[in-house]
Amino acid sequence: MKKKINNIILFLLYGITSGFAFLVVRYGWVYYKTPLFDRPHHPLHQLLKPGGLYGHGLGIIGSAMILLLFLYSARKRHMFGLHKGKMSSWLNVHIFFGLMGPVLITLHTAMKFHGIVAISYFSMLAVMFSGIFGRYIYKQIPRNPAGDALSTEEIAEQDKHLTYLLVENYHVPPQTLREIQKISGAQLAQHQSGFAALWTIFINDLKRPLLFRRLHQSLLQQEMKIPQDVMHRIMKVARQKSLLIRKRAFLNTILRVFHYWHVIHKPFAYVMIIIMFLHITIAIALGYTWIF
Amino acid sequence: MRTVLHRIYEHTYSQNDHLIQFCIRVLLLILLANTTCLGQISPGELAKPHADLEGVSNCIKCHELGSSIQNDKCLACHKEIQNRLDVKSGLHYQEVVVAEKNCALCHADHAGRSFDMIFWENGKDNFDHKRTEFELRGKHSEIKCEKCHKPEFVKDNLKIVQEKIDLNKTFLGLHRECLACHVDEHRGQLSDDCAKCHNEKDWKPAEKFDHDNAKFKLTGKHINVDCTKCHKPVRDAKAQSPLKTMYAQYVDLDFATCQSCHEDVHKGRLGSDCQSCHETENWQKTDHRTFDHAKTRFPLQGKHKTVDCIKCHTSGKMVQPLQFASCQSCHEDVHKGKFKQDCTSCHTESDWHTVASTSFDHQKTGFPLKGLHANVECKKCHTTGNMTVALKSDHCSECHEDIHKGQFAHRKDGGLCESCHDEQAFIPGLFTVDQHQNLAFKLTGAHLAINCRSCHKEHIPADSVAIRQFIFESTNCEECHEDPHFGQFKERKPAKICEQCHQTSAWQELKFDHDKDSRFALEGAHKKVACNDCHKNINTQGKSGRLYRPIDPACETCHKGNSSILENREKLE
């Protein structure tokens, strides 16, 4: 329930922010389409330019979001008294800020990337995309509902549980189990590492729905009498198992990639934040204080 | 969870990872440093005019710390704009001071080197020039900006104010006076305020020019004369353009008299005040009432004054010379050259028909005027008025009525007046006493002493005028004298006439001899008796007279008691 509420809140936040961004884009579309050369003469320039009434506000909100991103790091390290709340929830918030912040910052820049602050911007993009990538990698690490990573034993325990459900509860034939194993693509983990493994995982994610549909049809053909809701539950468990198998198979690789991902994600974040502060300091020093 | 995170953390900060992180950080630092040097904190390249302001240390040259971009910073460099604000004139004054706009609002920067900092909102050609406090009207609104905004028209010394200013690109420095851009076509002759006469729609014609404001007011035909007719072109020795070497002269023109422009067809004979006769409406139309013909070689006198000009100047061109040496130049010689003399010798201009006697020599005619004739008005004889018609002048009766009514017609000369009269004076006549002696009645005695009219009296016949009698039926005394004797002696046998007793020397001188001429000789005392004693007065026919006869010679006639005398007296009475 709480998760549901959290999801709703998140959904609303995404919706509001996206909607807001959409409105800004729609309002200033003509301005944004205008070449940089001609923008100073555009009627919306004073509003949408980086230092304009709207532009500056977008930058401030976006910067605030960027700053709030670091709360997740603080939460991870229990800094500033932050130790409550599920990491997954914190991550979701971190991701929200990480996605929407750059959007607003992008609108703040009005697609004008000049000077040292452009480094901050592109660093921010690197952080954002690496964050998206990191999120993907993150999801490859088996976790409990709280968002904590599972240990190897816990992974095995969970796999065992899922197998039990399939065999004992739903009487899934061994062939199906083998099929599920095959669909997971775990057999490829041994031969791949690094980005190849990521690519395999990605392809597997793309192919898996199709493969599971075939499995579903195969099961139907084999077991005509399985009620639909039961079939639905079987397929759900089958998916969980397949995913778990794959995650377990590629865990080492993922952990390694995840390690190097931090090397990218963090430094760029530092660069971004340093230059951002520099940019903000100079802007304030030169009198660009928005409505304040 | 903590285990996993720890594992991640450990992985992150492994020795190898430290090296990787260090490398990345150095790389970033290098990038940062380079970017700091190259990219700086500028949000974009400055436009070309501000290119020399690039660099971190120059930011505050435009940006006020804590106050964004303030106009003071801009105006500190752009002194030419500050000048405009100081004089409170021009576009920037309106925008910056009045509208309180920020310079950066119109003149953005950080948009690249080739960014044009001057923004024409609706395009340069559609710029509302009224904002510069100099509205473009008429032709000004049709020309390109560069036609006016060019270095040669920049009057302000902008280079002193702003050394870097490009006079080929600036829109400053122009003055609003017409002559700031336009060549003074009038070369300083007229006011500098061209708008007094000209408008911006068309330089020509000068629609607002009112010639009435000039010293010479245009009237009549002058109004329609082309300007260049009077205002001739003058060469400008100082002309700088080969296309503008001539200009019209508008001042210092001589216009005091008409001759300043017009040829005096009268060659100065009529003076210089042309307007006394002519008007500008129509040169040909002259007011003869005002024209002083006396100024011509033919002053109008008499009737000539009232003649319409066209009568003499038949061509209508008053200036066309006419022959006027002689009257025949205009007038027909009704005398057909008979007199061969100057008409004015007889005639005057006041009245042709009135010929002064002193002027016309009638002596040259067939009838020289003598005596009173010389003073007679011509019309008296020339009753028709036509003096040229020869009148019969053989006899006085040609003109004069015979007042004697033909009494002398019986004479041999037919009763010519000249035999008794002359032209000196009709009265008295020239008939002398001597001539009278040639008549039947010779003048003797007292007849010689009396006035002619005493005998030749006037009488007025019925329905006639008075006639003086010159012809008598007889020469008897009774023709003139009244018989005082009441015809006493006519009845005598033979009748006795006056001359028998009386004589012309004196009536009282009788040549009567009582003894011989009467029947009663005076004897004795009778000789001493006055005649009146015997011959008593009687009154008869209303008159008083004396009785002479018949008187009875008896004594009783005179002496009382004589009845016969008394009876005779009664008879006579």
Side-chain angles (χ1 to χ4, degrees), chain B residues 167-344:
Chain B
L167 295 182
N168 288 302
K169 292 186 179 178
T170 184
F171 290 95
L172 301 174
L174 266 61
H175 286 193
R176 293 172 194 162
E177 301 82 35
C178 304
L179 298 182
C181 297
H182 297 280
V183 171
D184 184 5
E185 295 288 346
H186 307 308
R187 305 302 192 275
Q189 296 178 84
L190 305 175
S191 164
D192 286 347
D193 186 7
C194 306
K196 276 186 178 178
C197 302
H198 298 277
N199 59 35
E200 289 155 300
K201 186 180 174 189
D202 283 303
W203 179 254
K204 295 178 185 179
E207 288 183 343
K208 292 192 275 184
F209 173 68
D210 185 358
H211 213 289
D212 286 346
N213 295 331
K215 293 177 184 173
F216 183 77
K217 310 285 186 287
L218 298 181
T219 56
K221 286 271 176 71
H222 285 152
I223 294 174
N224 296 326
V225 173
D226 189 68
C227 306
T228 56
K229 291 282 184 181
C230 302
H231 299 283
K232 304 287 184 189
V234 175
R235 184 166 291 280
D236 182 5
K238 299 178 186 175
Q240 295 179 1
S241 167
L243 299 175
K244 294 182 184 291
T245 57
M246 306 296 287
Y247 66 96
Q249 184 178 2
Y250 290 109
V251 297
D252 297 331
L253 290 174
D254 185 13
F255 59 87
T257 63
C258 303
Q259 291 88 333
S260 303
C261 298
H262 300 280
E263 179 190 353
D264 183 5
V265 294
H266 306 300
K267 310 295 181 195
R269 289 192 301 271
L270 305 182
S272 60
D273 185 15
C274 304
Q275 293 181 60
S276 61
C277 302
H278 297 280
E279 55 185 34
T280 59
E281 195 63 46
N282 187 347
W283 176 257
Q284 300 291 342
K285 181 182 172 186
T286 53
D287 187 354
H288 65 273
R289 294 170 297 176
T290 59
F291 177 66
D292 184 6
H293 216 283
K295 293 182 180 176
T296 66
R297 291 173 293 169
F298 188 79
L300 297 181
Q301 292 170 349
K303 282 281 176 66
H304 283 149
K305 284 185 186 176
T306 60
V307 174
D308 193 19
C309 305
I310 202 69
K311 291 282 184 180
C312 300
H313 301 278
T314 53
S315 66
K317 296 178 182 178
M318 304 302 166
V319 298
Q320 192 169 16
L322 298 177
Q323 296 295 324
F324 59 87
S326 65
C327 302
Q328 289 89 332
S329 302
C330 297
H331 302 281
E332 181 189 352
D333 182 8
V334 294
H335 304 302
K336 309 297 181 192
K338 187 165 94 175
F339 297 114
K340 295 179 184 174
Q341 64 181 37
D342 183 13
C343 303
T344 56

